[in-house]
Each structure stands twice: as C-alpha cells, then as structure tokens.
Amino acid sequence: MRDGSEIFNEMSLRSREVFRLVVESYLETGGPIGSRTLTHALEEKVSAATIRNVMQDLEHLGLLDSPHVSAGRIPTQQGLRLFVDGLLEVGDPQNDDREIIDKTLSSGQGDVATMLDRVGSALSGMTRGASLVLTPKHEAPIKHIEFVSLAPDRALVVLVFADGHVENRVFTPPLGQTPSSLREAANFLNALAEGRTLSELRHSIGHEIKSRRQEIDSLARELVESGFALWDDESANYERLIVRGRANLLDQDAEAADLNRIRSLFDDLERKRDIAEFLELTEEGEGVRIFIGSENKLFSLSGSSLVVSPYMNSDRKIIGAVGVIGPTRLNYGRIVPIVDYTAQLVGKLISDQG
C-alpha cells in the first residue's frame, strides 16, 4: 500500500477538495454523497460527470468506496487516515467544552481516582462516545511487604507504601507453606524493597532471587515468586482502566451488524482482553494519537476509532492516558482538542498535588 503523504501530494487541488467534501459529509451524516450534491458544494463550477470521474479516481486510490451502486461515495479507512493526517484542522476546544472540563477538574473533591472517574463521565457525556481513562501507577517507595495465610490454599500479599497507600492481592501459595516460610519470604522482600518503588523492585526481583539463592529456602522462594508475580500480571493493569459511556455507542438507528460489532467491543472491554495494547499506546510519546478501525487490535472487530492522549507528571514522565472511543465518523476536529486539553489539565493537576 502506498504511503498516504505520497498519495496526498500527487492529488490535484480539485481532487483534494472533492475528497475533503466527501469525508466531511460522511463525518456529519454517516452516509454517502453523490456527484450532483457535490456540484453545489464546490466553489469551482464543474459538471457532475467531471466530479464522478474524480471520485472514481479517488476510489481507485483506495480513498473512497461506494456502499451501493449509484449511491454516492464514502471514505474508506485509508481515506479517513489520509484526511486526519493531511486535511484535519484542529484548534482550541470550544468554549462550552473547555468550561465543562475546567469545572470537572476544579471541584477538588476526592482523591486522584475519584477525579479521574469524573473526567471519564464528563468525556463520555461531551462526546457522546465511550471514554477510557488510564489512572497512574502507584510509584511511591515501598515501606513494608507482608504475607498473610488465609487458608491452606489461599494467602494474601500486602504492600504498604511510604505515603500510606496499601494494596493487597489474594493468591494461591505453593503447597506446604508454613508460618516460617511466610515470615522468611516477607523478610527477604523487605530487605530488597526498602526505598524502592514497585516498578524498580519488579525489574530486579528475578535477578536478586537467583544471586541470593542461599539466603532463602526453596519454599519461601516459591512464595516470593508466586506472590510478587501478581503485580506482573496484566490484571494488575485492568484496575487502572476506567470505562464510561458504553451506552453512547449503541445507536438506535445502527444496523444489526454494527450493533454486533459494538457489543464485541463491549465484551472485550468487560473482559479487558487486549488492554495491554491500549497501555502500550500511552508509552510511545506525548501528544494526541488517533487510531481508526483496524489500526488498533482492540477495535479491529468493532470498526471503532480511538482518540487518545497520555498525561504526564511534573518530571515529564507519562503516567496515564485519557481517550474517547466512537464510530469511525467521529467529529475529530472537535474531539481531538477536547482529549488534548483534558490530558494536559489532568497532568497539571496531578503534578500540583505531588
């Protein structure tokens, strides 16, 4: 497939204008537009036959498609990508949108998680799409780790952080655990964890277990590995993802096939399948990113688009993201500034709170 910028540079001014009008009409109405309608929209006075020839050329380039015979044209996924990259004009958020975001983030009630939950609800309400908010990882230094036996086949690992935050997970310990092995495993981890964040400890734990094998017996070592593996599991990331506004995607006028695709997306979000894909999107650089249809694995079946932007802490480190999911005919010109402004404001607020 040819590069989009190469195709765009080769298009004539007339082709670009016809292409722009077709895409903008599709984003507004969701339906195809015909050559006769375009003759009234174009500033240049040309015949419907001329426009039909231009649209046929654009179809051969893979930018337009005809859903039905003689029913006009709509943009393809490749066409939408070319429009977003080459013709989309993005400015500041509309005043009403800015006021809603400012009000949502200035209420000052609750902790960061509560604030981000409000952000998700506000985004879904403003955009009439579904919102995704990825909350920050907890990166305070670890103060204490403890293993607690709940039953012969169940145990609890508790992490206490220097800022008072506490996390715990229930897991299945290795067979034969004893109060002694629980204490030994906790002592081993506490000696390693002092002053380290969870991420730092995660990166070094495997090496430390191998290099200090003589300091811990096999049962306690298995306990350390199985208990600490809970924070390496993708399920630890699931709790960081807030999804709001799923019902907004269920358009009453949508065709049955579209509804089935949207329900497939809901199922993925509920089961958190492929959420690792979403997490990776936030770690590849700052700024708003737009994923259309099958460009992202999570949304390939549903035919949805994602507009997402990471937010940063005071050290300019990416710690989370906000995004909006909707049909491919999203109002990108309005939603991109909303997501961008929200991400910047969330990052500033979290940085100010330390």
Side-chain angles (χ1 to χ4, degrees):
M1 185 179 294
R2 295 171 64 193
D3 181 74
S5 60
E6 179 185 343
I7 294 175
F8 187 76
N9 290 333
E10 291 179 4
M11 290 166 63
S12 67
L13 292 177
R14 178 185 293 169
S15 294
R16 290 185 189 182
E17 183 64 7
V18 169
F19 174 67
R20 181 184 66 80
L21 289 171
V22 172
V23 176
E24 289 180 348
S25 174
Y26 171 75
L27 294 181
E28 182 178 351
T29 68
I33 186 171
S35 57
R36 195 167 299 279
T37 304
L38 285 171
T39 59
H40 302 298
L42 275 172
E43 292 184 8
E44 181 187 12
K45 298 306 177 186
V46 293
S47 67
T50 299
I51 293 180
R52 279 196 295 274
N53 290 333
V54 172
M55 289 199 293
Q56 286 176 357
D57 291 340
L58 292 171
E59 189 169 354
H60 288 317
L61 289 172
L63 304 179
L64 299 184
D65 190 19
S66 179
H68 307 287
V69 177
S70 302
R73 301 296 196 282
I74 61 173
T76 61
Q77 179 177 306
Q78 183 185 359
L80 286 172
R81 168 51 60 190
L82 184 64
F83 174 83
V84 165
D85 291 344
L87 291 173
L88 180 65
E89 296 180 0
V90 177
D92 295 326
Q94 298 174 8
N95 289 336
D96 290 348
D97 294 334
R98 186 191 295 266
E99 288 177 9
I100 293 173
I101 299 168
D102 289 344
K103 184 177 180 181
T104 300
L105 289 168
S106 64
S107 65
Q109 297 178 355
D111 56 13
V112 169
T114 303
M115 180 265 287
L116 291 175
D117 187 74
R118 291 198 307 269
V119 166
S121 297
L123 281 176
S124 64
M126 295 163 62
T127 63
R128 304 308 302 162
S131 66
L132 297 180
V133 178
L134 187 65
T135 65
K137 297 177 183 178
H138 201 85
E139 291 292 351
I142 297 170
K143 180 180 180 181
H144 182 69
I145 299 174
E146 185 173 356
F147 290 95
V148 179
S149 178
L150 302 177
D153 61 345
R154 280 199 311 153
L156 186 72
V157 56
V158 182
L159 266 70
V160 180
F161 294 86
D163 62 358
H165 179 77
V166 178
E167 290 187 19
N168 56 72
R169 300 281 192 280
V170 175
F171 71 105
T172 302
L175 293 175
Q177 58 146 329
T178 64
S180 174
S181 65
L182 290 172
R183 285 193 302 272
E184 185 176 357
N187 290 339
F188 179 81
L189 279 174
N190 284 317
L192 299 177
E194 185 176 2
R196 292 183 177 182
T197 66
L198 188 58
S199 295
E200 291 168 344
L201 184 57
R202 182 187 292 117
H203 289 147
S204 64
I205 190 68
H207 172 74
E208 294 287 357
I209 288 175
K210 290 180 181 178
S211 64
R212 302 171 68 168
R213 185 174 294 271
Q214 303 302 320
E215 299 177 27
I216 183 172
D217 69 27
S218 59
L219 187 59
R221 184 166 61 248
E222 289 178 25
L223 194 60
V224 168
E225 292 171 341
S226 58
F228 205 81
L230 293 171
W231 273 270
D232 266 335
D233 195 321
E234 287 181 1
S235 63
N237 291 321
Y238 298 167
E239 297 180 1
R240 298 173 53 209
L241 190 67
I242 302 170
V243 183
R244 295 289 178 266
R246 294 176 178 85
N248 290 337
L249 301 183
L250 291 173
D251 188 342
Q252 295 296 324
D253 298 325
E255 297 180 1
D258 294 330
L259 291 177
N260 287 335
R261 285 195 293 269
I262 294 298
R263 291 191 179 102
S264 171
L265 171 62
F266 288 174
D267 290 343
D268 283 348
L269 291 173
E270 286 293 342
R271 292 192 295 267
K272 305 299 189 291
R273 280 173 32 198
D274 300 321
I275 293 302
E277 297 282 327
F278 177 72
L279 301 183
E280 289 172 4
L281 305 184
T282 69
E283 298 172 357
E284 297 178 6
E286 58 185 289
V288 179
R289 303 188 69 197
I290 301 172
F291 296 86
I292 300 172
S294 61
E295 291 176 352
N296 178 249
K297 184 179 178 182
L298 178 60
F299 309 111
S300 59
L301 293 179
S302 66
S304 302
S305 285
L306 167 68
V307 179
V308 62
S309 179
Y311 57 87
M312 305 181 183
N313 60 15
S314 56
D315 297 325
R316 302 295 296 167
K317 178 183 177 183
I318 293 173
I319 56 174
V322 297
V324 171
I325 308 171
T328 54
R329 64 180 194 90
L330 279 175
N331 184 346
Y332 297 99
R334 174 174 174 252
I335 291 178
V336 168
I338 287 175
V339 171
D340 184 37
Y341 183 69
T342 302
Q344 291 185 42
L345 220 55
V346 166
K348 182 178 185 305
L349 218 64
I350 291 177
S351 297
D352 290 346
Q353 291 182 9

